Amino acid sequence: MNKFYPISQPTITELEIKYVNDAITSGWVSSLGYYIEEFEKEFAKFCGVKYAVLTNNGTTGLHLALEAIGIKKDDEVIIPDLTFIATANAVAYIGAKPVMVDIDPENLCINPSKIEAAITEKTKAIIPVHLYGHPANMDEINTIAKKYNLFVIEDAAEAHGAKYKNKVVGGLSDCGVFSFYGNKIITTGEGGALTTNNFDLYEKAKYLRDHAMSKTKRYWHTEVGYNYRMTNLQAALGLAQLKRINDIITNRINVFNWYKKYLITNENIRLNQISTWAESVHWLVCLEIDSFDFEIRESFMKALKNKGVDSRPYFYPVSSMPMYDKYNENQITYKKSIIGLNLPTYYDLTENDVNEICKIINVELKNL
Ligand SMILES: *Cc1c(COP(=O)(O)O)cnc(C)c1O
C-alpha cells in the first residue's frame, strides 16, 4: 500500500510539547499568563510591527480589526473575489457590505487596477488577501487607499513571514490579521492575531476583545464588546511554533521547488507564478490546468486520492455564494476557480515524498 499524502499537516516537536506542558502545569490555562504575553511580543517582532493582539481565531481577528477601525453598518469594504469565505463573513458580521474585486492572474491576489472602479461613496476599507502564501501588491493598494482615504487591513491568514519587496506582511498597512488554524503556516490549534503600528488601534482592539470593559472601572461597559481571547495553552503552542518558523518556511519553499523540479508542466499545466517583488511562503502549492472544467477536475482529484495523494480545489468565488452580491464580471476569478487545485504542502514532506507525489500526478496528467 502506498503512503497517503494529506493536503496539510501540522509539525509538532518536543519543543511544542514542552511549552504546552509547562503552560498546563503552571495553572494558567485561560487567557492570562506568560505565554500570552511572550507570544504577543515575539509575533509582533516577527511581523516588524509594534503591537500584536492575539485572538481566538483569524475570523474574529478580522471582525475585531473592522470594529476597531470603525467600520459601520452599510459601509462597503473591498475584498478579492477569490478568498476563503471568512474575509467576506467578517465584513457581514458588522452589517457592512463586502464588494468583490477580480484577481491578478499571475499571483491570484486582488488586482489593484480593478479596485478604483469598485469604490463608491460608501467605501471605507480594502482587505487585500495574501492568498495561498503570496503577498498582494501592497504599494499599489496603499496608493489607491490614500487617494480615497480608505483603511487597509491585510488578511495575512495564509502568509506568516511572506515578504513584499523584502518587508514582512502584517505591517504593510493599517493592520494585519493572521490565523493559527491547524493547517496554517504555524498553528495554535485555533487562533489568530491582529498586528499594527497604530497605538490607538491596538488599544481599541484589546478593549473590544475583552467585552469592552472600562480601563478605570472594572465590570463597567459602555458598549458591546466580545470575548475573542486566546488561551495561554494555545499561546504556548504558538510560541514554540514561532521559534521554529524560519525553518518551517524554508522547507515550504523547498517543497515548492521540488514540485517545480519533478512535475511535468507546460504553458497549459502550470504551478503558481511568483511576482518579481514577492517572496511567497507557499501555504499551498497551486496547480492550474487550462483544460479543466468542474467535472474533469473532480475526477482528476479522485484519481489522485485513490493513489494516495490528497488535493483540494481552489476557493469558489465569494460572489458565487448565495448570500453575497453577484459580480459575474470577475472573469479571472471565475476561470481560475475552476482550473486550480492545491497540492500537499507541509513541513515534513521530503524531496523523495514530493518526487513520489509528482510521479503519480504526472501519470494522471498524461491520461487527461
Ligand atoms: C484561514 C483563513 C481565515 C480565517 O481564519 P480562522 O482562524 O480559520 O478563523 C481568514 N482568511 C483567510 C484567507 C484564511 O485562509
Side-chain angles (χ1 to χ4, degrees):
M1 189 56 203
N2 281 339
K3 193 167 161 182
F4 185 77
Y5 297 101
I7 186 84
S8 171
Q9 70 182 30
T11 161
I12 306 295
T13 66
E14 288 300 321
L15 189 68
E16 281 81 356
I17 294 166
K18 183 173 152 218
Y19 283 15
V20 175
N21 254 325
D22 182 54
I24 199 162
T25 316
S26 75
W28 294 97
V29 295
S30 213
S31 50
L32 291 174
Y34 167 81
Y35 289 101
I36 292 282
E37 285 175 27
E38 203 61 18
F39 187 35
E40 232 159 44
K41 204 172 75 199
E42 292 297 317
F43 193 68
K45 207 189 280 173
F46 174 76
C47 295
V49 295
K50 289 189 189 140
Y51 315 105
V53 180
L54 298 173
T55 58
N56 57 345
N57 61 61
T59 310
T60 55
L62 284 168
H63 185 203
L64 204 59
L66 290 159
E67 286 266 358
I69 67 174
I71 301 302
K72 298 269 185 303
K73 189 169 175 297
D74 298 328
D75 287 345
E76 292 179 5
V77 177
I78 289 172
I79 68 169
D81 206 357
L82 193 72
T83 180
F84 180 54
I85 198 68
T87 318
N89 284 351
V91 175
Y93 296 163
I94 309 258
K97 184 179 156 192
V99 175
M100 282 64 81
V101 164
D102 210 358
I103 56 164
D104 180 326
E106 178 179 79
N107 56 44
L108 306 179
C109 299
I110 195 166
N111 188 338
S113 70
K114 299 285 174 71
I115 291 177
E116 278 193 274
I119 293 174
T120 72
E121 294 278 279
K122 292 180 170 177
T123 309
K124 292 284 156 49
I126 307 171
I127 310 182
V129 179
H130 304 310
L131 201 72
Y132 300 127
H134 189 294
N137 194 338
M138 292 308 295
D139 281 354
E140 294 198 18
I141 294 163
N142 285 331
T143 301
I144 297 165
K146 203 161 177 195
K147 181 169 165 195
Y148 292 91
N149 201 18
L150 309 174
F151 290 99
V152 179
I153 300 169
E154 296 166 66
D155 182 338
E158 307 176 353
H160 320 54
K163 286 180 188 157
Y164 173 78
K165 296 184 178 172
N166 290 320
K167 285 173 293 190
V168 186
V169 301
L172 307 176
S173 62
D174 294 295
C175 76
V177 175
F178 292 82
S179 166
F180 303 115
Y181 183 67
N183 67 7
K184 297 291 162 80
I185 305 290
I186 60 171
T187 187
T188 60
E190 292 271 6
L194 184 160
T195 53
T196 185
N197 283 310
N198 180 328
F199 180 73
D200 293 337
L201 198 60
Y202 164 67
E203 285 284 302
K204 188 82 197 277
K206 271 206 305 188
Y207 160 80
L208 288 171
R209 179 183 65 174
D210 195 14
H211 284 299
M213 182 155 27
S214 163
K215 271 185 139 181
T216 50
K217 195 167 157 188
R218 284 175 79 199
Y219 304 106
W220 180 251
H221 310 262
T222 52
E223 60 183 306
V224 178
Y226 307 90
N227 173 0
Y228 283 171
R229 299 182 300 258
M230 179 186 275
T231 70
N232 196 46
L233 299 181
Q234 291 168 302
L237 179 51
L239 185 65
Q241 294 262 287
L242 188 61
K243 301 250 177 206
R244 301 176 48 227
I245 195 165
N246 290 331
D247 184 34
I248 289 172
I249 290 170
T250 299
N251 214 45
R252 283 178 168 276
I253 295 168
N254 288 341
V255 166
F256 173 70
N257 286 325
W258 293 328
Y259 273 111
K260 258 174 64 174
K261 179 170 168 189
Y262 293 110
L263 208 61
I264 300 169
T265 56
N266 57 45
E267 64 273 23
N268 303 316
I269 300 173
R270 302 172 301 270
L271 284 170
N272 36 327
Q273 309 289 299
I274 303 167
S275 297
T276 50
W277 36 260
E279 276 175 56
S280 174
V281 288
H282 298 287
W283 177 51
L284 291 172
V285 169
C286 303
L287 177 63
E288 291 175 4
I289 298 169
D290 285 335
S291 62
F292 269 178
D293 63 18
F294 187 81
E295 274 76 33
I296 300 171
R297 183 176 63 185
E298 284 294 302
S299 58
F300 186 83
M301 290 193 299
K302 211 164 146 198
L304 294 186
K305 192 157 201 166
N306 286 337
K307 292 181 176 176
V309 176
D310 200 11
S311 61
R312 61 178 236 187
Y314 277 13
F315 296 118
Y316 293 104
V318 174
S319 67
S320 69
M321 311 277 179
M323 65 284 197
Y324 293 120
D325 274 6
K326 302 281 164 278
Y327 288 93
N328 292 324
E329 67 270 26
N330 290 338
Q331 286 173 14
I332 308 290
T333 301
Y334 278 74
K335 177 70 185 164
K336 293 283 188 178
S337 174
I338 287 297
I339 65 168
L341 57 87
N342 301 115
L343 301 175
T345 319
Y346 49 93
Y347 175 79
D348 285 316
L349 284 172
T350 63
E351 179 164 5
N352 189 51
D353 288 330
V354 177
N355 189 6
E356 290 303 314
I357 291 169
C358 289
K359 278 185 201 160
I360 291 166
I361 299 174
N362 287 335
V363 169
E364 291 307 318
L365 285 174
K366 246 190 240 152
N367 292 340
L368 275 177

